[in-house]
C-alpha cells in the first residue's frame, strides 16, 4: 500500500468525519424543529409536515446509493475517510474528482493514484477540494438573505406567475439530466424510458384509486423498477 | 399595490433564526473540512509546495466563483432559505435533494413558491439529508463487502443507471403536470447535450433561462395556469 494511503486512512480523519456528520445531523434537526413550529403557526397540519418528512427521507434512499457507488470508486485512490467527508460536505462525485484532478495537475501529475501520485500531490488534491468549496459557502452565508429579499419582492407582485416561474426553473434544471440519456441512447435511454413509463403508470393508479399513500413512494418504486429493467435489458445493449 | 401584512413581524423572527442557524452551520462545516489538509500538514508533515498549492487555488477559484454564483442565483429562486442552507451544507443538490423536496411538496399539497412551500421544502430537505447521510455511513461501514458485491457484473447496470432511472421518473412527473412547460426546454437540453460538450455550469443556466422565458410567454397568453 502506498504510504499516503496509510496516512489517508488514519483514525484522525474518521474522527473529523464523525464531527462533520454530527454537525449535519444537528442542522437537520434544528431546521425540522424550527420549520415545524413555524408551519403550525401558519396553518400547516402535523400530518402534512410528517408526510413530507417521511416521503423525502424514503425517496432519498435509492438516489443516495449513487453516492455510495461514487464513494467506493474513490476509495482506492483517496482512502476511506476523505471521500466520505468530501462527499458529505457540499459534495458531489464529479466535483470532488475534478478538484482532486486539478490539485494533481497543478503539481504536474496527470491522473489520480498512479505513479508519481506522492503524499504531497495527494495533499494538494485535498487542499484543492476544500479550497473550491469556499466560494459557495461564502456567497450563501453572506448574500442569501439579500437575494431572498429581492426575490420575495418580485413574488409579492404576482404570486401566480411566481409559481409558474419556479416550476419552469425546476423543469429547466431537470431537462439537462433527462437530455443526457436521450442523446447517448442505449441502456441509459432504455432505463430513462422505463422510469417514465412506470411513473406514468403510478400516476394513473393514484388518480384512479385515490391512493394517496402511493404518492409518497411512487418515485422510489419507479426508480427501483427502472433499475431492475436496466439489469434485464443490459444484455441487449452490450 | 403591495399590501403590508401584520404577520410580517412574526415571519421575520423566523427568518432571522433560519439565517442564523444556516450561517453558523455552514461556516463551522467549512472549518471542519479544512481539518483534513491541516491535519495532513501539522500531524503528518505533508504539505504541498507553495507553488503547486497556489497554482491549484487559482485554477479552482476561477472555475468555482462563476459556477457557484450562477448556481446560487438559480437555486435560490426555487428553494426556501432553510432548504438552501441544508443543500449547501451537504451538496448533491440536483440529484437527490431537489427531487425529493419536490415530491414532498406534492405529498403535502403545498405550492413551491408559497410560504408553506418554503417550510415544507425545509423539512423535506432535512429528511432527505438524514436519510442520505445514514446511507453514506452504511456505505462507509460496509465498504469492503460492498465493493465486492457491487462489482458483480449482473447487477452493475442497475447502479450505473441510477440517474437515468431517477430523471426518467421525475421527467414523467413534470410532463404529466404540465407538458407545455417542459417540451421546449427539453428540446434545447437535448440539442445542447447532443452537439456541445459544455459543462452543466453553463447548460443549466441556459435551460433554466429558456424554460422561464417559455413559461412567461405561455403565462401571458393564458396557456398555463
Amino acid at each position: 500500500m502506498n504510504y499516503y494511503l496509510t496516512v489517508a486512512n488514519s483514525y484522525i480523519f474518521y474522527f473529523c468525519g464523525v464531527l462533520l456528520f454530527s454537525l449535519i445531523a444537528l442542522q437537520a434537526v434544528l431546521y425540522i424543529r424550527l420549520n415545524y413550529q413555524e408551519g403550525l403557526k401558519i396553518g400547516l397540519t402535523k400530518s402534512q409536515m410528517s408526510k413530507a418528512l417521511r416521503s423525502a427521507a424514503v425517496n432519498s434512499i435509492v438516489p443516495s446509493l449513487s453516492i455510495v457507488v461514487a464513494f467506493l470508486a474513490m476509495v482506492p485512490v483517496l482512502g476511506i475517510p476523505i471521500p466520505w467527508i468530501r462527499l458529505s460536505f457540499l459534495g458531489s462525485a464529479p466535483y470532488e474528482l475534478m478538484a482532486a484532478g486539478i490539485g494533481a495537475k497543478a503539481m504536474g501529475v496527470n491522473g489520480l493514484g498512479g505513479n508519481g501520485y506522492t503524499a504531497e500531490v495527494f495533499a494538494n488534491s485535498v487542499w484543492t477540494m476544500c479550497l473550491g468549496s469556499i466560494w459557495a459557502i461564502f456567497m450563501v452565508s453572506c448574500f442569501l438573505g439579500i437575494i431572498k429579499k429581492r426575490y420575495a419582492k418580485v413574488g409579492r407582485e404576482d404570486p401566480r406567475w411566481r409559481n409558474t416561474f419556479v416550476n419552469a426553473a425546476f423543469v429547466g434544471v431537470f431537462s439537462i439530466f433527462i437530455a443526457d440519456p436521450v442523446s447517448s441512447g442505449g441502456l441509459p435511454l432504455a432505463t430513462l424510458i422505463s422510469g417514465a413509463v412506470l411513473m406514468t403508470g403510478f400516476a394513473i393508479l393514484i388518480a384512479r384509486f385515490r391512493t394517496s399513500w402511493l404518492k409518497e413512494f411512487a418515485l422510489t418504486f419507479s426508480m427501483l423498477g427502472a433499475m431492475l429493467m436496466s439489469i434485464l435489458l443490459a444484455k441487449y445493449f452490450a | 399595490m403591495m399590501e403590508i401584512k401584520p404577520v410580517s413581524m412574526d415571519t421575520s423572527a423566523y427568518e432571522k433564526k433560519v439565517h442564523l442557524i444556516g450561517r453558523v452551520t455552514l461556516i463551522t462545516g467549512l472549518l471542519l473540512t479544512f481539518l483534513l489538509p491541516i491535519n495532513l500538514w501539522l500531524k503528518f508533515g505533508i504539505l504541498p509546495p507553495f507553488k503547486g498549492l497556489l497554482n491549484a487555488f487559482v485554477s479552482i477559484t476561477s472555475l468555482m466563483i462563476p459556477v457557484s454564483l450562477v448556481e446560487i442565483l438559480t437555486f435560490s429562486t426555487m428553494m426556501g432559505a432553510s432548504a438552501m442552507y441544508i443543500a449547501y451544507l451537504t451538496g448533491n443538490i440536483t440529484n437527490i435533494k431537489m427531487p425529493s423536496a419536490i415530491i414532498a411538496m406534492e405529498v403535502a399539497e403545498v405550492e413551491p413558491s408559497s410560504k408553506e412551500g418554503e417550510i415544507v421544502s425545509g423539512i423535506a430537505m432535512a429528511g432527505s439529508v438524514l436519510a442520505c447521510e445514514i446511507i453514506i455511513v452504511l456505505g462507509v461501514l460496509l465498504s469492503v463487502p460492498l465493493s465486492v458485491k457491487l462489482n458483480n457484473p449482473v447487477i452493475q447496470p442497475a447502479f450505473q443507471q441510477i440517474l437515468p432511472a431517477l430523471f426518467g421518473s421525475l421527467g414523467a412527473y413534470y410532463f404529466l403536470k404540465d407538458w407545455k412547460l417542459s417540451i421546449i426546454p427539453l428540446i434545447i437540453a437535448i440539442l445542447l447535450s447532443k452537439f456541445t460538450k459544455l459543462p452543466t455550469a453553463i447548460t443549466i443556466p441556459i435551460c433554466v433561462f429558456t424554460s422561464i422565458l417559455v413559461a412567461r410567454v405561455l403565462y401571458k397568453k393564458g396557456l398555463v395556469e
Side-chain angles (χ1 to χ4, degrees):
Chain A
M1 197 192 256
N2 277 326
Y3 163 65
Y4 86 85
L5 274 180
T6 324
V7 172
N9 284 321
S10 146
Y11 75 94
I12 186 118
F13 297 120
Y14 282 99
F15 180 68
C16 298
V18 172
L19 283 181
L20 187 68
F21 177 83
S22 317
L23 177 76
I24 292 169
L26 175 74
Q27 191 209 43
V29 171
L30 287 175
Y31 274 137
I32 290 174
R33 237 183 48 169
L34 182 64
N35 281 314
Y36 246 94
Q37 287 163 353
E38 187 69 12
L40 290 175
K41 265 189 222 162
I42 65 162
L44 287 167
T45 65
K46 267 192 186 155
S47 96
Q48 253 176 320
M49 292 187 279
S50 315
K51 263 201 280 184
L53 182 69
R54 193 172 57 217
S55 87
V58 170
N59 284 322
S60 301
I61 294 173
V62 181
S64 296
L65 295 176
S66 68
I67 307 185
V68 175
V69 174
F71 162 75
L72 292 174
M74 290 164 81
V75 167
V77 187
L78 300 170
I80 292 174
I82 290 174
W84 170 34
I85 291 172
R86 290 299 319 165
L87 287 171
S88 320
F89 174 75
L90 189 39
S92 70
Y95 166 77
E96 306 306 340
L97 290 172
M98 180 200 65
I102 287 177
K105 222 176 165 54
M107 304 267 294
V109 176
N110 280 322
L112 303 173
N115 280 338
Y117 198 75
T118 61
E120 263 121 42
V121 181
F122 165 70
N124 212 34
S125 290
V126 176
W127 276 101
T128 314
M129 291 189 269
C130 294
L131 289 168
S133 44
I134 288 181
W135 303 109
I137 297 294
F138 170 75
M139 288 178 206
V140 173
S141 306
C142 296
F143 303 125
L144 186 65
I146 305 166
I147 298 172
K148 276 282 164 200
K149 267 198 194 108
R150 268 285 166 85
Y151 284 145
K153 246 185 206 159
V154 181
R156 270 200 295 272
E157 281 157 18
D158 190 348
R160 227 161 43 92
W161 158 242
R162 191 174 148 76
N163 223 357
T164 311
F165 171 94
V166 173
N167 277 330
F170 279 127
V171 168
V173 173
F174 297 137
S175 58
I176 288 293
F177 295 94
I178 297 167
D180 285 339
V182 173
S183 71
S184 74
L187 189 56
L189 180 60
T191 312
L192 184 89
I193 294 171
S194 313
V197 169
L198 285 166
M199 192 68 170
T200 309
F202 285 126
I204 293 168
L205 283 180
I206 291 167
R208 162 103 24 117
F209 299 106
R210 305 196 175 281
T211 39
S212 64
W213 65 268
L214 187 58
K215 252 190 191 174
E216 286 180 44
F217 303 102
L219 185 66
T220 300
F221 288 164
S222 66
M223 272 189 83
L224 284 174
M227 286 163 70
L228 195 67
M229 284 301 288
S230 77
I231 293 178
L232 299 175
L233 294 172
K235 56 174 179 277
Y236 301 107
F237 293 100
Chain B
M1 279 316 270
M2 234 192 281
E3 51 173 326
I4 298 154
K5 287 181 194 160
V7 285
S8 67
M9 287 302 289
D10 211 32
T11 45
S12 92
Y14 161 76
E15 267 158 28
K16 264 187 201 142
K17 273 191 205 155
V18 167
H19 289 295
L20 179 69
I21 295 173
R23 284 178 185 139
V24 171
T25 48
L26 279 194
I27 289 165
T28 313
L30 186 65
L31 295 177
L32 279 181
T33 167
F34 270 98
L35 284 180
L36 300 177
I38 287 170
N39 263 309
L40 280 175
W41 172 25
L42 296 180
K43 195 165 162 30
F44 299 98
I46 304 170
L47 187 69
F50 183 70
K51 220 183 121 212
L53 193 59
L54 186 70
N55 213 329
F57 178 68
V58 171
S59 315
I60 197 81
T61 298
S62 57
L63 181 71
M64 290 314 285
I65 286 185
V67 168
S68 310
L69 186 69
V70 170
E71 274 190 357
I72 290 166
L73 287 175
T74 313
F75 293 163
S76 50
T77 59
M78 321 172 182
M79 297 189 273
S82 61
M84 278 294 280
Y85 286 115
I86 297 170
Y88 273 89
L89 181 64
T90 54
N92 286 297
I93 301 171
T94 49
N95 57 342
I96 300 175
K97 262 131 240 177
M98 265 193 200
S100 57
I102 286 165
I103 302 297
M105 287 188 276
E106 177 80 37
V107 168
E109 291 167 347
V110 297
E111 295 290 353
S113 67
S114 63
K115 170 97 201 235
E116 286 80 0
E118 186 150 349
I119 285 168
V120 169
S121 69
I123 292 174
M125 288 268 176
S128 170
V129 163
L130 290 175
C132 184
E133 292 301 314
I134 290 169
I135 297 288
I136 298 179
V137 168
L138 287 176
V140 170
L141 294 176
L142 302 172
S143 55
V144 178
L146 265 184
S147 51
V148 178
K149 282 261 157 55
L150 291 182
N151 277 330
N152 182 333
V154 177
I155 61 160
Q156 272 257 304
F159 291 98
Q160 287 160 357
Q161 304 305 330
I162 291 180
L163 284 184
L166 170 63
F167 287 108
S169 313
L170 208 61
Y173 167 78
Y174 269 103
F175 203 76
L176 296 169
K177 198 177 165 95
D178 203 333
W179 63 272
K180 290 195 262 2
L181 278 181
S182 36
I183 204 133
I184 293 176
L186 204 52
I187 291 170
I188 305 268
I190 291 168
L191 291 176
L192 281 172
S193 159
K194 189 104 194 158
F195 298 111
T196 69
K197 283 201 162 53
L198 295 170
T200 51
I202 300 172
T203 52
I204 287 183
I206 293 178
C207 281
V208 169
F209 183 74
T210 323
S211 178
I212 291 170
L213 208 67
V214 170
R216 186 74 196 170
V217 173
L218 292 172
Y219 180 77
K220 282 276 172 201
K221 291 193 168 171
L223 289 170
V224 289
E225 32 139 346

